[in-house]
C-alpha cells in the first residue's frame, strides 16, 4: 500500500474536485464527457533496462494517453495521485478537471513538440504582467497590496539577486538588467516535466512570483490563490460576494494550482 505524506494529502484534497462542483460540471459538459466505463483503478510497477516505472490500469486494461502512448511515470506517489483522480470520477469522466492526469499526458505525448526552452520563454512572458507587480491607486487596496505583496517581491529579488520595482499607476514594472537572465537560469534548472507543472501554475494565477513562492514552499496553495485574488477580495469585502460564481472560480483555481505545485515537487524528486 502506498502512503502519501501529510503535505501530499493536503495538496491531493485540493486537486480533487468537490462532488458538488463535479455535479454542476456534468450538466454543462455531459455532451463532451465520457461515461465512466471501469470499476477499479490500480497502479502497477514495471522494470525496463533497470528503470522502474509505474503504470495505471482500469479494470486490468492499461491506461493510454490521448495520443495512444502507454501512461507511465517514474514517481510512485505521482502514479497513485493520478490513480486517485481516476478513482474519484463519478458517472462521467471529466478530464478537464483531472489536472495531474492532464499534466502527465502532456509530458508523455508533448503534442505541440514544445522544448523546455519554449516553456521557459512562455513563463518569462508573464513577468512583465505579473499579477503582484501592479499596485492599485485606491487607498485600501494599495495598503493591502503593499502589506501582502511587497514582502514576496522582496523575497523573490533577494532569492535571485535582482531588483524589481512594482508598477504604481500607469507606469510598467521596472527590472534590473540582470533580472530575466537570472530567472531564466533558475527555470532552466528544472527538468522538462517540472517546468510543465510550473507553467501550468503560472497560467492559473498569472504570476511567476507567486508560483515560485509555492514551489519553494514559501506559500501554501490557499495563500497563493488568495494573494492572486487580492483585488477581488477587497472588492468583495466592500460590495459583497456573488457566492456561486466566486466559489466556482476559487475551487477551480485552487485545484489547478495545487496540481501544478504537486506536479513540480514530484517531478523534481
Amino acid at each position: 500500500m502506498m502512503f502519501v505524506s501529510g503535505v501530499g494529502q493536503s495538496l491531493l484534497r485540493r486537486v480533487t474536485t468537490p462532488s458538488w462542483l463535479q455535479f454542476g460540471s456534468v450538466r454543462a459538459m455531459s455532451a463532451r464527457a465520457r461515461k465512466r466505463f471501469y470499476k477499479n483503478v490500480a497502479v502497477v510497477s514495471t522494470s525496463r533496462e533497470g528503470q522502474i516505472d509505474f503504470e495505471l490500469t482500469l479494470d486490468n486494461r492499461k491506461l493510454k494517453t490521448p495520443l495512444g502512448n502507454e501512461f507511465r511515470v517514474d514517481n510512485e506517489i505521482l502514479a497513485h495521485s493520478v490513480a486517485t483522480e481516476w478513482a474519484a470520477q463519478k458517472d462521467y469522466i471529466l478530464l478537464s478537471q483531472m489536472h495531474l492526469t492532464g499534466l502527465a499526458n502532456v509530458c508523455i505525448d508533448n503534442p505541440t513538440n514544445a522544448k523546455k526552452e519554449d516553456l521557459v520563454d512562455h513563463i518569462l512572458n508573464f513577468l512583465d504582467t505579473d499579477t503582484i507587480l501592479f499596485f492599485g491607486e485606491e487607498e485600501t487596496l494599495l495598503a493591502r497590496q503593499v502589506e501582502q505583496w511587497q514582502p514576496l517581491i522582496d523575497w523573490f529579488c533577494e532569492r535571485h539577486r535582482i531588483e524589481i520595482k512594482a508598477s504604481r499607476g500607469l507606469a510598467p514594472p521596472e527590472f534590473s538588467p540582470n533580472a530575466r537572465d537570472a530567472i531564466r537560469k533558475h527555470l532552466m534548472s528544472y527538468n522538462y516535466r517540472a517546468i510543465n507543472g510550473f507553467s501550468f501554475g503560472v497560467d492559473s494565477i498569472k504570476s511567476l512570483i507567486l508560483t515560485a513562492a509555492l514551489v519553494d514552499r514559501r506559500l501554501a496553495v490557499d495563500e497563493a490563490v488568495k494573494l492572486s485574488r487580492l483585488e477581488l477580495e477587497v472588492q468583495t469585502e466592500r460590495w459583497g460576494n456573488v457566492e456561486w460564481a466566486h466559489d466556482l472560480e476559487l475551487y477551480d483555481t485552487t485545484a489547478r494550482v495545487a496540481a501544478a505545485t504537486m506536479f513540480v515537487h514530484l517531478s523534481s524528486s
Side-chain angles (χ1 to χ4, degrees):
M1 182 178 293
M2 185 64 199
F3 294 94
V4 182
S5 68
V7 173
Q9 290 175 346
S10 177
L11 283 173
L12 202 53
R13 284 194 294 270
R14 287 162 173 79
V15 170
T16 304
T17 304
S19 59
W20 65 266
L21 184 54
Q22 282 193 341
F23 177 75
S25 299
V26 167
R27 299 182 62 181
M29 300 171 59
S30 59
R32 291 174 292 167
R34 296 176 62 189
K35 285 189 175 182
R36 177 166 173 160
F37 58 88
Y38 56 91
K39 291 183 178 181
N40 301 309
V41 183
V43 174
V44 180
S45 62
T46 62
S47 180
R48 300 186 182 185
E49 299 180 354
Q51 172 69 42
I52 298 177
D53 291 321
F54 301 91
E55 301 176 350
L56 266 64
T57 61
L58 308 177
D59 292 340
N60 297 318
R61 289 177 291 183
K62 287 187 177 183
L63 178 64
K64 298 292 185 67
T65 68
L67 294 186
N69 296 305
E70 289 185 356
F71 184 94
R72 186 184 300 119
V73 295
D74 61 7
N75 185 289
E76 188 174 5
I77 297 177
L78 177 58
H80 280 271
S81 301
V82 172
T84 299
E85 287 188 332
W86 283 89
Q89 300 307 296
K90 304 301 182 182
D91 295 329
Y92 290 88
I93 302 170
L94 304 179
L95 288 172
S96 64
Q97 295 177 9
M98 299 166 67
H99 306 307
L100 292 173
T101 299
L103 283 165
N105 282 339
V106 166
C107 291
I108 295 168
D109 286 346
N110 192 7
T112 61
N113 294 316
K115 299 178 182 178
K116 185 169 75 169
E117 292 81 1
D118 300 325
L119 295 172
V120 169
D121 286 341
H122 173 73
I123 293 169
L124 279 171
N125 285 337
F126 278 89
L127 189 59
D128 291 316
T129 58
D130 194 295
T131 296
I132 72 168
L133 291 183
F134 289 84
F135 288 15
E137 297 181 337
E138 193 275 325
E139 185 176 346
T140 301
L141 175 60
L142 177 60
R144 292 274 289 276
Q145 289 170 332
V146 170
E147 176 189 4
Q148 298 181 37
W149 285 358
Q150 190 60 52
L152 284 170
I153 297 171
D154 294 341
W155 162 79
F156 188 76
C157 289
E158 183 178 355
R159 171 79 167 78
H160 298 287
R161 298 181 181 179
I162 61 177
E163 295 180 6
I164 299 176
K165 182 179 180 181
S167 168
R168 296 198 184 188
L170 299 177
E174 298 178 11
F175 306 93
S176 59
N178 67 326
R180 283 175 175 77
D181 286 342
I183 298 169
R184 175 186 290 277
K185 182 178 180 180
H186 174 71
L187 292 173
M188 287 297 295
S189 69
Y190 292 100
N191 62 41
Y192 177 77
R193 289 171 301 165
I195 210 66
N196 265 283
F198 203 111
S199 178
F200 188 67
V202 173
D203 280 327
S204 300
I205 51 177
K206 313 303 179 191
S207 174
L208 191 165
I209 296 174
L210 288 178
T211 304
L214 275 166
V215 171
D216 275 21
R217 295 179 170 86
R218 190 171 183 87
L219 288 176
V221 169
D222 292 344
E223 293 173 323
V225 172
K226 186 174 181 180
L227 287 170
S228 75
R229 296 158 49 92
L230 186 56
E231 183 173 357
L232 177 61
E233 293 285 336
V234 172
Q235 291 175 351
T236 298
E237 290 171 6
R238 178 174 298 174
W239 307 110
N241 186 26
V242 182
E243 186 172 346
W244 67 269
H246 288 172
D247 286 351
L248 185 66
E249 180 189 3
L250 176 61
Y251 275 112
D252 182 63
T253 302
T254 301
R256 290 174 179 273
V257 173
T261 305
M262 191 172 187
F263 197 81
V264 173
H265 289 164
L266 294 179
S267 296
S268 302
S269 61

